[in-house]
Amino acid sequence: MATIYAGASSFVPAGSPATIHTGRGALLALLASHGQAAAQTLTLYDSGAASGTILARVTVAPEASPAVILFPDGFPLRFATGLAVDPGGCDVSVIASGGA
């Protein structure tokens, strides 16, 4: 059975890179928002730290904030080593499952 990681452990404030999960799993959803005048970019890593193998980069334009990405059943963004995020100028919340 997979564990869903949500709540306080999945919120990453702007400017504070964080590891969400160690080990394999899958990203199911992402919400990113900011109040900046310019677009902000966040980066997701398949890593135990906010560096290494990049899973995705998401740029959020001011008029698109908050941005919500939902991965459909059967098509999550999978990671092998862990899930880390460098939020850049965005506040980021993720829903991920461990052991997927």
Side-chain angles (χ1 to χ4, degrees), residues 46-59:
D46 184 353
S47 174
S51 63
T53 303
I54 296 173
L55 288 173
R57 282 198 174 107
V58 178
T59 299

Side-chain angles (χ1 to χ4, degrees), residues 37-87:
Q40 301 294 308
T41 300
L42 66 100
T43 307
L44 299 163
Y45 295 92
D46 184 353
S47 174
S51 63
T53 303
I54 296 173
L55 288 173
R57 282 198 174 107
V58 178
T59 299
V60 180
E63 63 275 7
S65 181
V68 178
I69 300 173
L70 303 172
F71 295 92
D73 288 343
F75 298 99
L77 186 59
R78 297 190 185 280
F79 50 88
T81 305
L83 178 62
V85 62
D86 181 345

Side-chain angles (χ1 to χ4, degrees), residues 79-95:
F79 50 88
T81 305
L83 178 62
V85 62
D86 181 345
C90 296
D91 290 326
V92 179
S93 292
V94 299
I95 298 174

